[in-house]
Amino acid sequence: GMLRPYSDLDLCVILPTNGEQEKRHRVRMKMFGLLREHDYRHVIPVDIHVYFAAEFEDWVSRGHPLLKEIAQGEPVYVKTRSS
């Protein structure tokens, strides 16, 4: 959508396998840490969403508006076993 004064940036991380909620929290905190390391000053507020792959697909199939939009987009980064 269009950038508005109340807009935010939604980052979505999709983990390949299911795991414990603690793993989701660790990944989210790591992402916020990386933003701080790179001196991102939150000019636009950031929301970091972390899902397990099966959970993400389930929400998309149920019609979750944000996740449907994310599913239709292009990944910015995909980690492979060698990366």
Side-chain angles (χ1 to χ4, degrees):
M2 293 187 51
L3 183 63
R4 302 188 194 302
Y6 52 84
S7 293
D8 67 349
L9 174 64
D10 291 293
L11 299 176
C12 183
V13 177
I14 302 172
L15 303 173
T17 58
N18 286 338
E20 308 225 353
Q21 294 300 321
E22 185 177 314
K23 181 175 184 179
R24 181 193 321 254
H25 179 72
R26 282 194 314 266
V27 168
R28 191 168 185 267
M29 292 299 100
K30 183 175 183 174
M31 294 294 295
F32 277 120
L34 289 170
L35 289 172
R36 275 192 304 277
E37 280 179 32
H38 293 279
D39 206 25
Y40 181 77
R41 300 213 185 270
H42 299 274
V43 175
I44 298 173
V46 175
D47 287 333
I48 299 175
H49 308 273
V50 181
Y51 295 95
F52 297 108
E55 172 188 35
F56 178 81
E57 291 301 325
D58 182 51
W59 279 111
V60 170
S61 71
R62 293 173 187 234
H64 189 286
L66 174 64
L67 300 187
K68 276 180 62 176
E69 193 170 328
I70 290 170
Q72 293 171 1
E74 293 293 322
V76 174
Y77 174 78
V78 177
K79 184 176 181 178
T80 60
R81 292 197 185 269
S82 61
S83 56

